[in-house]
Amino acid sequence: MTYTVTVEPTGEQIEVEEGQTILQAALRQSVWIPFACGHGLCATCKVTVLDGDVKVGDASPFALMESERDDGKVLACCATVESDVTIEADVDVDEDFKGYAVEDFNATVTKIVDLSPTIKGVHFSLDNSMTFQAGQYINLQLPSCDGVRAFSIANAPSNNQEIELHIRKVEGGAATTYVHEQLTVGDTLPMSGPYGQFFVRDSQPGNLIFIAGGSGLSSPQSMILDLLEKGDQRQITLFQGARNQEELYNSEFFNDLADKHDNLTYIPALNDADDDLSWEGFKGFVHEAAKAHFDGRFANHKAYLCGPPPMIDAAITTLMQGRLFEKDIFMEKFLTAADGADEHRSALFKKI
């Protein structure tokens, strides 16, 4: 059984299969509904049902309160329909968002490399090409793991029949443990994508700052490669943070890239290198490296942040103190399942 969902105020219509969520159907038909977690926890995809029968699904009572349910609110990532339905959604799409439809793929592992003691680079060949924007992510289904896991794409969109992921092993994490200990070259896994609203705003002027921590380097790597391939002339500064030299991966790659491109500056920072006499780079946290490099003044830049929540929050505070504000800062937090149960609030939305 298939039902029609009309999305107001645009009037766009999507076909939703029985048991399929409104969000799943919309993304596969290039209709944008804002979302973040995709699992009923964050309330980003909250919409209002104007007409028709909808099942709320497994929405968190914190993300969708009882009073909101009584008022016809549902979360598009959890809600399924039982008739033709009309919903009202916040569909103010960024002009730089290309809105590529989500598709399903069979992804075959072609290479696994040790990027650091805790991070593996996993390369896949797809059974069909995936059109995506640099900075977006995919969902991967792993054996013996409930649900899917999200991983940011590290390669440039021009290489659209291959996908590179940087996967950090999370202590006790079933999916990442499987990747690090059992996944082998030749394995084929279900993958879907692209997802996400993390991408370079090409229409907005200003030089670019990228701040990455841990495996959060993946999205900035994709974005920077794409910018350089397209011949973008804006100044690009990448700050990469790690605990020590062992965890600082792809540094030689970015040093070489910076040598070849006058508009790219690469600054790695180690926050646990006080006793490392061989390290001649910046010692401290990555947001401190950014503050030192720009002398605490970030005006007329756009900043893209990707990494664990503490790094994101520290970077936002530093950038805003340096006269960069909400409209100039874009982020992708790397949350584990444990993080999801303890919602981190960004300093971006606090008065400082």
Side-chain angles (χ1 to χ4, degrees), residues 59-78:
S60 162
F62 300 101
L64 189 67
M65 295 183 291
E66 199 63 41
S67 60
E68 293 177 306
R69 300 173 192 233
D70 293 340
D71 290 338
K73 305 285 187 183
V74 300
L75 302 185
C77 68
C78 298

Side-chain angles (χ1 to χ4, degrees), residues 262-273:
D262 292 338
N263 64 325
L264 174 62
T265 301
Y266 171 60
I267 300 175
L270 303 183
N271 64 2
D272 189 19

Side-chain angles (χ1 to χ4, degrees), residues 100-107 124-133 138 153 155-163 191-194:
Y100 297 126
V102 170
E103 298 182 62
D104 297 312
F105 303 88
N106 289 316
F124 296 88
S125 175
L126 304 181
D127 60 345
N128 204 350
S129 59
M130 180 190 296
T131 305
F132 65 93
Q133 282 184 267
I138 56 87
I153 303 169
N155 55 287
S158 57
N159 191 8
N160 62 9
Q161 201 140 7
E162 296 183 6
I163 293 294
M191 179 185 290
S192 64

